[in-house]
């Protein structure tokens, strides 16, 4: 789920940066640091929406280094997977154990055990795709699937999830041919 | 003990005498047995010495505690039936000996030892020895006598005593008496208790015979001992007894032990016994004697219907079932799923051998029809030797019901499945699947096989119940821990989930999670352990706590209940290896922990770059993709996956990999942990991170790959560095930033403080000085101002200030890089390159030490450019055309043909060496020019070149270098080079001068003893005299009389001033 939240971040600046463009530098560095990062409790920072410059408080000089620490408040667009959340994701890779799908930066693995029964043995090595027994459903790289998040793993700066398409209204929603690539 | 030696020497060494005695004794014993079983001292102790240890020891063990009351009894009823033996012994000389020995046995204290010493001293060694031998003889006779009793009686007897012994003493002590016994302790005992003190007294002392160790061939031990025994008997019969008291084949391989009081006796005994290495004879220290006889509890012997694992060959780690045990547990017949490679027979022998080594055929049941269908011969029905089974016999192996039946050596070929390593569900299913199928198939036929299969199936399920699967059922709740989430599986509250609050024996308290359960006021409910199961939700991150996959972590992707199982099985996708494993939920625990380093084995970890030994090639390296219990799976630099034991590894090369730099297909430098795209080969299109690299082989790691822990092997030239391509390669304005900077160097140069200057990008770059005194030198920019740069020369310990315009970026901070200018996609606008090097050739590592070649990509320009600072093609060297004077060949455009570095017409002598393709080119291009009109042509050429705003000059193009005018075949020396026009004033040998351009000149190849200047490579700038040329390397002596090895293509002959 995407949501907007105001967060804090600390930026350490060397004295070189002090000058008229100080605040711009802070904003730039903040974006560099934070965007794309997965915060354990909040999910992926997709975008820094706003950094109110008036809320950048004056910094504190570190005694040892001479660097200055600024605490910056910013509003960010976050993507956080919730358990049992239903998402649309794009399949990027299929292997014999299941397939990987990406929803933005979030990687979701769908195991063959989490596929409908008629796909359990349906991995096709030639196509690198999961095919249902009746050949109706073909999930290959590029397909869009609707899946349900069943679990998350939070690592340092990264979140991965596992999902299932074994439920009503889940599964292939786009065979990938329409969208071209 | 030595008291026995008081006995008067026997009348004769005749066995028959004593045998008679013993037989009488035995008869008496037998009677006694009937009357009073517990009182019996069974005579079975007298086996042949070499394997008598156990039973004899039993007897002796019994003695010490038992003796006093018994002794009393015996003395009282000396003539009575109950102690017939002692009375007998009394009556004859031999019996006296026995009694005395007994007495000595019962003595525990030191006083007795002292007494023994005294006695012993007064004895003659010979006599002692003879005593012992006699005693042995007697024992042997007793062994004969044993057969008077029924086998059942004897075995019952042994069992009784064994049980008694088990009750009382720890197994370790047993060996002590073994020693004692072999040293000649009298065989007399009753099955009663022992004390540690009594045991202590049995430890050999100086008064006992010494022990010698002799080496022999492995496996011959028993045979040799028997030989020695026979020899002893024979010698004794001849009246020349060998003075040894025993010969033993203990558990140690390749060694036998002899006991004797004298060393010559031992030498005598082993003299002439073939197979014994006499010179290896060595005295065993008294302290070690017990160790020799220590019976280490042998590895659990395999039994019929047990699961075992193979340890060798293709079947390594495969599960097998013991069908029969042979040779008292040394060998057994196992049944396993065959791994047949039917393609082998079609391959030529060499290939087949390779394949046999590298490819592990998959498990597949044997199907005779399939074999027949393939048209293979040699498929017959045969009886399996030793088993009453008719099997398919194919290719030297027996197959029964699709399974392979094979006789294996226990220990070396198979080992029993231990508790830590029980058959997994997977394996059992693989083993079992066939059977259910077979049942269905054969059910209709009602043939012999179906019955067999049915019974086998029963056996299997029975075994399955006994091994791993049953264990958890009895575990009382199956590994529940406080804090676990549980689910009620029995009773009224079935399906309820809760948290485990406390555990108390069989009952557990649970705090329900769902609030909608009416608990009647309490918030904890008690359950029996077996009413609950651990609840592991799909998606949970878990750690395996037990069993084969212990300590693996991963995410649960499914939880399912297998047929006929009460326990649930979770399918876990492991974190590190991305494999699916099936684990019982009772063995799981929810945990956020990620087993990252996973296992270590002998210092090696997952993803280590290791050097492999063996396998032919000396430099085989690989990356560990699985760490097993005792071996690794390694993917080597050819992408072949092998199982390797730690001993086969010869160290890690992780640090080398960390330092290594390779070039991708576009000449970018790539390093470990860079992300690359694979552009060709079987892995084309994949994006992965470089985990390790070895030379040009990259071990790429992809998170989304499941096999081999995500590692696959690709040549560096098949990859493209991912990301930042466009910035790196576009028509970069000459801002001083190297267009070839790697992403790291760029990112490093990113938002760094303290750089306000326009040209800060140049600092740290490797540049080549283009003109002036230092022309041709490579160096690193140490500082830069608006007009000048300070260059720290690579070859001289010197910093020079150079006008900014006179330096050209030749690489990043790691060394010189050059770009292939023919690559159209790289530089779409070659007419107006900003610096000569923007589109120049290749990217040699570290200052161009490594010759690389990019020109091969475009054949028709065939510019084997000789460029200092790296870029010398191997072929060029080989073809000897490296010396061609090739200034700005085709730098403008190929149509300007005249600027071709090979620029002479076909009828004119070339610099040296010819290159057919080039020649053709040249001829075509030079059509308009007329012979002998050299000057005109030169003029035209000069004009043309003047139009080009830059010109590349070869590295040797500098003052003092000996050159040859290509058109005139005249040799001279460059006196001066005009920095603006790049024209050189050449002084010919005849003191005439001419101004020529680089393209008109060819370098004079240096010959031995010439003074040469190094124009490229690591030694650039070095001057010395050429000593000799060895292939492509030249050895030169510098001013300090030191010898340097330089690539010959880097040398330019200079005129000594």
């Amino acid at each position: 789920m995407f949501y907007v939240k105001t967060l804090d971040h600390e930026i350490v600046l060397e004295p070189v940066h002090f000058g008229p463009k100080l605040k711009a530098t802070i904003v730039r560095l903040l974006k560099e640091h934070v965007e794309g990062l997965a915060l354990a409790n909040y999910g992926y920072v997709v975008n820094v929406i706003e950094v109110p410059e008036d809320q950048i408080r004056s910094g504190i000089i570190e005694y040892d280094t001479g660097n200055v620490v600024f605490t910056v408040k910013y509003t960010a667009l976050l993507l956080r997977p919730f358990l049992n959340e239903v998402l649309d994701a794009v399949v990027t890779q299929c292997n014999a154990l299941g397939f990987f799908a990406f929803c933005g930066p979030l990687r979701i693995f769908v195991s063959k055990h989490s596929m409908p029964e008629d796909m359990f043995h349906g991995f096709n090595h030639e196509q690198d795709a999961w095919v249902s027994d009746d050949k109706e459903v073909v999930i290959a790289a590029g397909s869009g699937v609707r899946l349900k998040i069943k679990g998350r793993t939070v690592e340092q700066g990264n979140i991965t999830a596992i999902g299932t398409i074994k439920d009503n209204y889940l599964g292939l929603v786009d065979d990938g041919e329409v969208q071209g690539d | 003990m030595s008291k026995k030696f008081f006995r008067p020497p026997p009348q004769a060494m005749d066995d028959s005498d004593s045998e008679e005695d013993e037989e009488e004794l035995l008869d008496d014993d037998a009677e006694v047995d009937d009357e009073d079983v517990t009182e019996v001292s069974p005579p079975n102790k007298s086996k042949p010495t070499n394997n008598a240890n156990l039973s004899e020891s039993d007897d002796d063990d019994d003695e010490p505690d038992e003796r006093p009351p018994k002794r009393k009894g015996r003395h009282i009823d000396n003539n009575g039936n109950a102690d017939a033996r002692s009375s007998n012994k009394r009556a004859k000389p031999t019996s006296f000996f026995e009694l005395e020995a007994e007495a000595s046995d019962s003595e525990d204290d030191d006083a007795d030892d002292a007494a023994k010493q005294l006695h012993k001293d007064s004895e003659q060694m010979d006599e002692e020895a003879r005593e012992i031998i006699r005693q042995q003889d007697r024992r042997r006779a007793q062994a004969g006598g044993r057969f008077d009793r029924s086998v059942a009686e004897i075995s019952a007897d042994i069992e009784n005593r064994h049980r008694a012994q088990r009750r009382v003493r720890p197994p370790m002590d047993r060996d002590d008496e073994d020693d004692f016994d072999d040293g000649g302790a009298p065989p007399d005992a009753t099955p009663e208790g022992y004390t540690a003190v009594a045991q202590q007294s049995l430890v050999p002392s100086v008064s006992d015979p010494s022990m010698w160790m002799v080496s022999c061939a492995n496996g011959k031990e028993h045979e040799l001992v028997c030989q020695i025994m026979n020899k002893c008997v024979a010698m004794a019969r001849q009246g020349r007894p060998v003075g040894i008291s025993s010969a033993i084949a203990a558990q140690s391989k390749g060694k036998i032990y002899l006991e004797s009081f004298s060393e010559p006796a031992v030498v005598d005994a082993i003299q002439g016994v073939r197979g014994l290495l006499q010179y290896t004879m060595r005295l065993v220290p008294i302290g070690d004697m017990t160790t020799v006889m220590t019976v280490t509890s042998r590895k659990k012997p395999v039994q019929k219907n047990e699961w075992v694992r193979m340890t060798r060959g293709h079947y390594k780690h495969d599960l097998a079932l013991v069908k029969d045990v042979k040779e008292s547990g040394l060998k057994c017949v196992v049944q396993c799923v065959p791994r047949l490679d039917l393609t082998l027979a079609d391959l030529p022998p060499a290939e087949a051998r390779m394949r046999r080594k590298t490819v592990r055929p998959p498990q597949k049941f044997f199907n005779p029809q399939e074999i027949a269908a393939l048209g293979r011969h040699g498929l017959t029905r045969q009886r399996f030797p030793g088993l009453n089974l008719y099997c398919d016999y194919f290719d030297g192996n027996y197959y029964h019901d699709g399974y392979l039946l094979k006789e294996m050596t226990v220990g070396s070929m198979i080992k029993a499945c231990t508790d830590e390593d029980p058959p997994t569900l997977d394996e059992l299913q693989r083993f079992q699947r066939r059977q259910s199928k077979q049942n269905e198939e054969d059910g209709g036929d009602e043939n012999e096989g179906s019955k067999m299969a049915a019974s086998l199936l029963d056996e299997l399920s029975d075994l399955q119940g006994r091994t791993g699967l049953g264990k958890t059922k009895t575990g009382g709740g199956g590994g529940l821990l406080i804090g676990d989430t549980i689910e009620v599986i029995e009773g009224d509250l079935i399906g309820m989930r809760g948290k485990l609050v406390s555990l108390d024996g069989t009952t557990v308290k649970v705090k329900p999670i769902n609030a909608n359960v009416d608990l009647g006021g309490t918030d904890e409910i008690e359950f029996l352990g077996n009413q609950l199961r651990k609840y592991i939700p799909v998606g949970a991150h878990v750690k395996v706590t037990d069993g084969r996959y212990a300590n693996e972590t991963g995410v649960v992707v499914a939880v399912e209940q297998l047929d006929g199982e009460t326990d649930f099985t979770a399918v876990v996708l492991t974190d590190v290896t991305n494999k699916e494993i099936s684990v019982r939920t009772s063995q799981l625990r929810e945990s956020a922990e990620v087993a990252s380093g996973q296992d270590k084995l002998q210092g090696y970890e997952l993803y280590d770059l290791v050097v492999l030994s063996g396998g032919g090639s000396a430099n085989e390296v690989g990356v560990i993709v699985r760490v097993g219990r005792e071996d690794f799976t390694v993917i080597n630099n050819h992408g072949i996956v092998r199982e390797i034991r730690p001993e086969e590894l010869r160290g890690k090369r992780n640090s080398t990999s960390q330092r290594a730099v390779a070039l991708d297909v576009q000449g970018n430098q790539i390093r470990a942990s860079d992300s690359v795209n694979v552009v060709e080969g079987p892995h084309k299109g994949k994006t992965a991170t470089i985990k390790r690299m070895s030379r040009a082989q990259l071990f790429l790691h992809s998170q989304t790959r499941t096999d081999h822990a995500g590692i696959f092997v690709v040549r560096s030239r098949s990859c493209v560095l991912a990301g930042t391509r466009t910035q790196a390669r576009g028509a970069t304005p000459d801002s001083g930033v190297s267009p070839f900077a790697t992403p790291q160097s760029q990112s490093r140069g990113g938002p760094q403080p303290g750089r306000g200057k326009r040209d800060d990008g140049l600092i740290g770059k490797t540049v080549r000085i283009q003109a002036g005194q230092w022309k041709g030198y490579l160096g690193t920019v140490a500082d830069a101002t608006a007009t000048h740069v300070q260059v720290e020369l690579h070859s001289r310990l010197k910093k020079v200030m150079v006008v900014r315009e006179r330096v050209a970026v030749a690489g990043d901070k790691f060394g010189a890089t050059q770009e292939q200018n023919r690559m159209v996609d790289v530089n779409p606008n070659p007419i107006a390159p900003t610096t000569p090097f923007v589109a120049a050739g290749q990217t040699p590592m570290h200052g161009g030490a490594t010759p690389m070649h990019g020109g091969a990509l475009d054949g028709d320009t065939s510019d084997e450019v000789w460029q200092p600072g790296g870029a010398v093609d191997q072929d060029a060297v080989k073809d000897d055309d490296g010396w061609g004077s090739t200034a700005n060949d085709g730098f403008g455009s190929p149509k300007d043909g005249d600027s071709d570095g090979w620029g002479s017409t076909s009828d004119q002598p070339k610099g040296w060496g010819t290159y057919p393709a080039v020649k053709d080119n040249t001829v075509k291009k030079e059509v308009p020019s007329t012979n002998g009109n050299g000057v005109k042509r030169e003029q035209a050429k000069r004009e043309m070149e003047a139009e080009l705003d830059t010109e590349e000059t070869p590295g040797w193009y500098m003052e003092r270098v000996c050159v040859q005018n290509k058109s005139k075949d005249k040799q001279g020396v460059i006196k001066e080079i005009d920095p603006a026009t790049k024209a050189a004033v050449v002084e010919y040998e005849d003191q005439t001068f001419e101004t020529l351009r680089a393209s008109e000149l060819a370098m004079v190849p240096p010959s031995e003893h010439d003074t040469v200047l190094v124009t490229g490579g690591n030694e650039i700038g070095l001057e010395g005299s050429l000593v000799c040329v060895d292939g492509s390397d030249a050895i030169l002596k510098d001013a300090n009389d030191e010898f340097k090895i330089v690539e010959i293509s880097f040398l330019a002959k200079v005129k000594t001033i």
Side-chain angles (χ1 to χ4, degrees), chain B residues 75 110 183 225 231 312 407 539 602 637 707 720 740 746 761 784 798 824 908 966 974 999:
Chain B
H75 286 298
D110 296 342
V225 164
K231 180 180 176 183
R312 296 245 181 113
E407 194 174 289
Q602 299 201 0
N637 45 0
D707 41 348
V720 176
F740 319 107
Q746 285 208 336
K798 197 166 186 181
V824 179
Q908 282 179 330
K966 282 192 252 181
I974 299 176
S999 55

Side-chain angles (χ1 to χ4, degrees), chain A residues 14 16-17 28-29 32 93 95-97 100 102 107 109 111-114 150-153 155 158 160 162, chain B residues 538-541 555-558 560 571 573 575 578-580 594 686 703-706 751-755:
Chain A
E14 292 177 28
V16 203
H17 299 285
R28 182 172 57 85
L29 285 180
E32 261 173 31
Q93 201 205 6
N95 63 35
L97 300 180
F100 289 93
F102 274 86
R107 196 182 76 199
F109 177 68
S111 158
K112 65 177 178 182
H113 297 277
S114 308
K150 292 305 283 183
R152 277 172 310 166
T153 316
E155 294 155 23
N158 194 21
T160 53
I162 65 157
Chain B
V538 172
H541 193 265
V555 179
V556 178
V557 291
E560 47 201 24
V571 180
L573 183 76
D575 287 327
N578 261 352
K579 277 201 303 202
E580 272 185 8
V594 177
K686 290 185 178 128
Q703 280 249 302
T704 53
R705 284 173 66 88
T706 53
Q752 279 183 23
R755 294 234 202 116

Side-chain angles (χ1 to χ4, degrees), chain B residues 270-456:
Chain B
I270 61 176
Q271 195 83 54
V273 178
R274 195 180 281 243
L276 273 182
L277 308 169
Q278 199 188 334
Y279 58 89
T280 59
M281 196 176 98
R282 200 164 64 78
L283 180 71
V284 180
I286 285 185
D288 294 351
M289 283 166 74
T290 49
T291 327
V292 169
M293 303 307 296
T294 300
V295 180
T296 48
S297 59
R298 193 121 5 105
K299 276 174 208 155
K300 215 176 90 194
V302 292
Q303 284 168 7
K304 196 174 171 182
N305 292 336
E306 253 188 356
W307 293 111
V308 292
R309 273 184 206 287
M310 311 285 207
T311 52
R312 296 245 181 113
H314 282 160
Y315 291 94
K316 195 172 181 181
H317 299 317
D318 275 9
L319 191 68
L321 187 66
V322 179
K323 292 297 287 174
D324 195 17
V325 180
K326 289 181 158 184
E327 296 186 19
S328 64
L330 288 176
K331 287 191 172 177
C332 63
V333 179
V334 295
Q335 171 192 31
C336 65
V337 188
R339 290 184 182 272
L340 254 183
D341 195 346
L342 294 171
T343 60
L344 275 181
D346 300 330
L347 294 171
E351 242 175 84
R353 209 180 307 125
M354 258 320 277
R355 187 178 162 85
R356 206 172 287 133
K357 266 188 200 161
T358 51
V359 181
R360 186 188 197 198
Q363 282 192 328
K364 189 166 173 291
F365 288 101
F366 182 80
N367 188 348
Q369 282 92 3
E370 190 187 326
I371 304 289
L374 277 168
R376 287 294 155 72
H377 303 291
L379 179 67
T380 50
R381 294 284 286 173
Q382 277 194 18
R383 189 203 289 264
F384 190 89
L387 283 181
N388 199 10
L389 278 179
Y390 268 99
C391 303
D392 295 307
Y393 180 75
F394 177 70
D395 211 12
N397 284 318
Y398 293 87
Y399 300 92
H400 185 256
D401 287 336
Y403 291 96
L404 170 73
L405 284 185
K406 204 162 173 61
E407 194 174 289
M408 297 286 213
T409 319
V410 178
S412 61
M413 292 299 283
I414 59 165
K415 60 176 197 244
C417 284
T418 52
D419 284 345
E420 302 97 64
D421 192 20
T424 59
L425 284 175
D426 257 12
E427 288 172 320
L428 285 172
Q429 276 163 4
R430 241 177 288 148
F431 211 90
Q432 195 179 6
R433 192 166 289 155
R434 163 75 185 192
Q435 273 146 0
S436 52
K437 215 193 285 171
Q438 196 178 7
N439 260 357
E440 289 162 19
E441 285 169 8
D442 296 351
D445 302 24
E446 266 307 304
N447 62 4
E448 199 70 24
S450 95
K451 280 178 204 159
M452 267 302 300
S455 68
L456 201 60

Side-chain angles (χ1 to χ4, degrees), chain B residues 750-810:
Chain B
Q752 279 183 23
R755 294 234 202 116
K757 289 174 253 171
R758 182 180 74 94
D759 294 307
D760 53 358
L762 205 52
I763 294 176
K765 290 290 185 308
T766 300
V767 295
R768 183 190 306 281
I769 299 171
Q770 298 238 288
Q773 187 190 1
W774 301 104
K775 177 182 161 67
Y777 281 80
L778 277 177
T780 311
V781 178
D783 200 1
T785 66
T787 54
H788 284 73
V789 289
Q790 189 180 34
V791 180
E792 193 175 344
L793 299 178
H794 281 335
S795 52
R796 300 271 173 93
L797 195 64
K798 197 166 186 181
K799 284 182 181 172
V800 294
M801 286 300 276
V802 185
V803 182
R804 176 176 282 281
E805 283 69 40
R806 285 191 180 177
V807 297
V809 176

Side-chain angles (χ1 to χ4, degrees), chain B residues 604-605 608-612 620-624 634 649-654:
Chain B
Y604 296 102
E605 283 179 65
D608 274 352
L609 181 70
V610 291
V611 184
L612 311 177
E620 196 184 359
V621 295
V623 166
I624 296 177
V634 172
L649 300 180
R650 289 189 305 189
K652 293 192 255 193
R653 288 290 180 271
N654 289 348

Side-chain angles (χ1 to χ4, degrees), chain A residues 146-166:
Chain A
R146 182 158 298 160
L147 46 82
K148 191 155 132 192
I149 305 280
K150 292 305 283 183
R152 277 172 310 166
T153 316
V154 181
E155 294 155 23
Q156 179 72 43
N158 194 21
I159 296 177
T160 53
I162 65 157
T164 179
I165 53 169
K166 191 174 164 182

